[in-house]
Amino acid sequence: LIRDGDAYVLRFERELPHPIDRVWQALTEPAGLAAWFPSAVEMELRVGGTIVYLNDPGFEVDPELLATSGEVVELDPKRRLAFTWGNDLLRFELAPRGAGCRMVFTHRLPHRALVNRTVSGWSVCLDSLAAAVADTPADSPGWRHYYDHYVTLFGDEGWIDHDARQTVLRFERLMPAPMDRVKPLLAETTPQGLPGEVKWQLIPIGGTCLVLLTHTVASGWDAEAARRMWEGVLAGLNDSVAQGHSLAQ
């Protein structure tokens, strides 16, 4: 994880015992991408070419969280490919290593709150990529394994973004119950009379769900106090969900 001004960059490096041609096909051809990339993709493989992400998550999602378009911004065949996914920048670089190659993949994120779930998701995807180019079944410990690891490594504290106009607080928590157990609790969990806009988003993860919370207020509000308040609210939500879930069992 690398800090780049106000943004954060995830960097992955993989040594793949396969020729560059084969890995490049997995990065650029529809059949290759279908084996590992987290969305179906239609890509014009040229600088300036458009990309359409055919996302179908299978649940209701805030369009702001799931961009559907991008653009190819760098292309050096069999060496480098970079493209956008909404406001994020993804870059793949390949270099020969004996009979195989080294792949360096970076993902530039606009803020810190996205890191844990994004790095976990890409870890699973890259496991699938390695299996696809090897023509073997995918062997990954799974998203939850990676998520628990990166929460331990990076923490899951709320994140505050400032500009001259507004302050945005962002939080992410994995709840020990499915969406239908968590969603009814959100209205009673949200403190009343708060300024600004509070937005909840739930993402199903097997028998659990990921809760994303965003609170946007005018600049000048006591954001640190708000972060402490929301940390307490989310801890209480987790306790309520865990208790209700265990009773349901």
Side-chain angles (χ1 to χ4, degrees), residues 6 8 11 18 29 46 59 82 95 110 113 121 128 151 153 170 177 186 200 208 222 230:
D6 292 333
Y8 287 80
R11 185 182 187 277
H18 309 287
E29 296 185 3
R46 60 177 180 82
F59 58 94
S128 297
V151 166
L153 183 63
R170 306 179 194 273
L186 297 182
W200 298 92
T208 66
D222 189 342
W230 280 119

Side-chain angles (χ1 to χ4, degrees), residues 14 16-29 76-80 93-103 129 133:
R14 296 289 187 273
L16 300 170
H18 309 287
I20 282 180
D21 286 1
R22 190 164 183 174
V23 178
W24 185 254
Q25 290 172 355
L27 296 179
T28 59
E29 296 185 3
D76 184 354
K78 302 180 184 180
R79 293 179 60 86
R80 184 173 65 255
E93 297 177 277
L94 301 178
R97 286 292 184 273
C101 68
R102 182 186 67 173
M103 182 183 73
L129 171 62
V133 296

Side-chain angles (χ1 to χ4, degrees), residues 2-9 108-113 159-163:
I2 304 165
R3 185 74 180 263
D4 181 16
D6 292 333
Y8 287 80
V9 178
R108 190 176 190 274
L109 297 164
H111 53 76
R112 170 66 180 79
W159 195 254
I160 302 173
D161 291 322
H162 294 282
D163 63 27

